[in-house]
Amino acid sequence: MRLKMGRKDVTFLLFIFGIALFLRLTFIDTTYVIWDEAVYLLHGKLFGGEEIGYEEISLRPPLISLFLAIIWKLSPQNYLVYSKVFLAFFNSLIVFPVYYLGKLFDERVARFSSSLIAIFPLSILHSRYVLTDHPACVLGLMSFILMYYGTKNQNPVHIYASALFLSLAVLMKFTNLLIWVLILPLVLELIRRKKIKEIFFFIFIFFMGMLPYILFNYLKFGNPFYTFIKASHVISEGDKSELSFLVYLFNDSLGTGFVLFSFLGILIFMKEKIFNRQLSPYERKYNLILIYASLTLFVYSSSIVFRNVAKPPTIPWEVERFFLLLVSFLVCFISYFFVEFGKYFKLDRPIFFIIFSFFILFSFSFLITQYQRCYTPQIEFEQGLRYVTKEMGLYLNTTNIPEVVCIGNCPPIAFYSNKKIHVVYSEKEFLESPIEYKIAFFRCNDSSLKIIKEICKGESCAYLYKKLNIPNSPFG
C-alpha cells in the first residue's frame, strides 16, 4: 500500500478530475453570493489592500481569503467569476484524496470512489460556492491520508507532509481541528513505536504552519487564540432540532439507495477486514482506524445538526456542508460494497453487470432533486430574499449614502453596495442606532422612520429607511 501511482492511474485520475471540473464549472453561477460567501469575498478585497464596508475578521479563518486576495489583485473586474472558477478547480481535487482513501480498501475501490465523488451532487453543489467547507474537506482528508500512509508504511516524509496539510486545513476552516481526533490512534501508534522524532517534527511543522496566524491574533486582538475561541460558539451553543431532521439530512446527502449501500458496505468491510481471522493483527488494527474515523465523523456530523449553525427553513440542506468529510468516507464504503458484492454472492459477470447497473440507477434515481439543486441559480432560493437583498445592495451602490445600519441578511448588502454596513441583531439596536439610514427585511412601525426604497419579490421585502429630522441628507 503506497502513495505512488502508475501511468494508468495518473491517466485515469486526470480524466476523472476533468469530469469533476466540468461538472463544477458547468453553468457557473454568479447570480448571488450568500452571507458567508460575501464575507470571504470582502475579506479577500481587504487582504488585497481595499477598504470594505463589513468584516468578520475576528470570526473567520484566513486561508480562503488570502487566495481570494490574489485574485482581487490580478483582476478586480472579474473578481467573483474568477473566484468561483478557482474554487471549482480547487474543489475538483477531491478526487485525489478520495482515490487514496479508497486505495486503503482496494485498488478497484479507489477508482470507483474517486469516480463517484466526482459526480456526487453534494460535492458538486458545495464546490460551486466561495466557501471554506469543501476546500477544507480536501485539505483535511489529505492530512488524514498522509498520516495514515506515513504511519503504516513508516515513512516520515508523509507524516511531515500531513502536518503541513493539517495546518492549512485548520486555517481554511477552524473545525478541521477535528482531524486531530481522527489521527489520534495514529499518533498513539507512533508513541508506541517510540517515534519521538516523527512526533516532534509533526507538532513542530503544524505549529510553524499556524504561527503566522497565531501572531496575527496576538497583535490584533491581544490573544493568540482569540479567533478560535470566539468562533467556537458556533458549535458550542445548542439548538432544538428533531431526530427526523437528522434522518432527512443523511437521506438528502446520500440518497436512499446510497445510504443503504454504505451501511451494507460497512458490514461487509467489518466482516472481511476486521473479523476475518486470516488477517494479521497489524492489518486489523489499521482497518479499525478507518472504522474509528468514520464513526467519529458520524458523531460530529450528527451533533452539528443539534448545534446553532445556519439551517434556513426553506433550504434546510445547507447544513449538509458539515457532512462532506463523512461522505468522503462513506463513498469508499459504498464503492467497497459494489466491488465486493459480486464476489461475495458468487455472481457470474453478466449477472453481476445487470445487478450492478440496476443498483447504480436505483441509487442515482434518489438524487435527481439534488442535481437540480446544483444547477439552480442561487438567487432563486429563499423565496425572494436573495433577490431583494441583491437589488437593495445594488440600489444602495448608486446613492451617495455613506453608511447604513442593517438587520438581517446584511453581508451581501455590503458586498453589492460597497458601502459601510453596521450590522445589528436586535430591533432595539436597530431603532436606537444614531445612523441616519437603515435597512431591514421587515416593515418598521416607527414614526421616526420613513421608507426611502422598498423592494419586494415573492414572500420577501427589503426596506431602506431614513431617520427623520436629520438635515443635509442625500434625499433632502
Side-chain angles (χ1 to χ4, degrees), residues 101-387:
L101 183 62
K103 206 169 183 179
L104 299 176
F105 295 68
D106 179 270
E107 184 71 36
R108 293 166 299 171
V109 172
R111 292 189 168 216
F112 198 108
S113 301
S114 56
S115 302
L116 194 56
I117 200 67
I119 63 175
F120 214 71
L122 183 70
S123 178
I124 294 172
L125 175 65
H126 291 282
S127 294
R128 290 161 63 86
Y129 290 107
V130 183
L131 295 178
T132 61
D133 306 283
H134 203 286
C137 175
V138 175
L139 294 170
L141 198 55
M142 277 303 303
S143 176
F144 173 82
I145 290 165
L146 285 164
M147 187 64 168
Y148 190 103
Y149 278 88
T151 304
K152 188 172 184 180
N153 298 334
Q154 301 187 46
N155 188 325
V157 174
H158 291 158
I159 294 173
Y160 305 151
S162 171
L164 177 60
F165 272 98
L166 181 53
S167 63
L168 293 174
V170 173
L171 292 175
M172 181 64 74
K173 188 175 178 67
F174 294 147
T175 52
N176 260 345
L177 287 167
L178 176 71
I179 303 298
W180 275 101
V181 181
L182 300 188
I183 66 172
L184 179 59
L186 300 168
V187 174
L188 293 176
E189 176 66 8
L190 291 176
I191 294 173
R192 188 190 68 80
R193 291 190 208 154
K194 299 182 181 179
K195 300 290 185 179
I196 306 303
K197 175 185 172 183
E198 285 82 352
I199 294 172
F200 171 80
F201 277 108
F202 182 88
I203 296 173
F204 176 77
I205 293 170
F206 174 76
F207 178 76
M208 291 305 295
M210 297 294 297
L211 185 59
Y213 188 60
I214 290 173
L215 290 174
F216 167 81
N217 269 279
Y218 179 75
L219 294 173
K220 185 170 180 65
F221 304 112
N223 183 332
F225 306 106
Y226 180 85
T227 52
F228 296 97
I229 295 170
K230 190 168 182 183
S232 66
H233 78 276
V234 174
I235 57 173
S236 64
E237 297 178 6
D239 187 33
K240 294 181 179 179
S241 294
E242 299 294 333
L243 182 60
S244 58
F245 182 55
L246 175 63
V247 174
Y248 157 78
L249 291 175
F250 275 105
N251 190 59
D252 188 71
S253 297
L254 291 167
T256 303
F258 285 129
V259 169
L260 172 63
F261 297 137
S262 65
F263 179 71
L264 292 175
I266 291 171
L267 291 181
I268 296 175
F269 181 85
M270 295 282 286
K271 179 181 183 298
E272 296 293 329
K273 299 288 189 177
I274 294 175
F275 297 121
N276 187 345
R277 293 182 180 180
Q278 295 180 354
L279 285 175
S280 67
Y282 180 80
E283 288 295 329
R284 187 178 292 111
K285 174 172 58 179
Y286 279 93
N287 291 335
L288 273 170
I289 290 174
L290 294 177
I291 294 295
Y292 161 80
S294 303
L295 180 60
T296 301
L297 289 170
F298 174 79
V299 172
Y300 164 75
S301 302
S302 300
S303 67
I304 284 293
V305 176
F306 302 98
R307 300 289 94 191
N308 188 28
V309 295
K311 296 186 278 283
T314 59
I315 50 170
W317 40 264
E318 186 179 284
V319 75
E320 291 168 17
R321 67 190 188 276
F322 290 98
F323 293 12
L324 285 166
L325 262 174
L326 173 62
V327 167
S328 299
F329 277 78
L330 293 181
V331 159
C332 293
F333 286 111
I334 292 166
S335 301
Y336 186 74
F337 166 79
F338 280 110
V339 166
E340 289 293 313
F341 86 89
K343 181 180 73 174
Y344 192 73
F345 293 104
K346 300 179 180 179
L347 300 174
D348 294 331
R349 179 169 292 184
I351 297 176
F352 167 79
F353 180 77
I354 292 171
I355 297 177
F356 173 85
S357 301
F358 172 77
F359 281 170
I360 288 291
L361 292 173
F362 170 76
S363 300
F364 277 105
S365 69
F366 291 97
L367 294 172
I368 295 173
T369 299
Q370 288 86 328
Y371 278 110
Q372 292 174 337
R373 184 185 301 158
C374 292
Y375 299 107
T376 299
Q378 286 298 310
I379 201 167
E380 298 297 328
F381 294 111
E382 294 193 272
Q383 301 176 314
L385 175 63
R386 297 182 175 189
Y387 175 88

Side-chain angles (χ1 to χ4, degrees), residues 450-466:
K450 175 184 177 181
I451 295 177
I452 298 298
K453 181 70 174 180
E454 175 181 345
I455 301 174
C456 293
K457 185 177 178 63
E459 299 181 12
S460 302
C461 289
Y463 302 93
L464 174 62
Y465 295 96
K466 174 182 177 293

Side-chain angles (χ1 to χ4, degrees), residues 58-95:
S58 63
L59 285 172
R60 303 285 181 167
L63 187 56
I64 190 173
S65 296
L66 290 173
F67 289 142
L68 296 176
I70 298 173
I71 297 173
W72 172 258
K73 295 296 288 185
L74 292 174
S75 182
Q77 298 85 1
N78 301 295
Y79 181 45
L80 179 56
V81 174
Y82 288 170
S83 296
K84 293 270 188 177
V85 170
F86 168 73
L87 265 298
F89 177 87
F90 191 98
N91 289 324
S92 297
L93 296 172
I94 189 68
V95 301

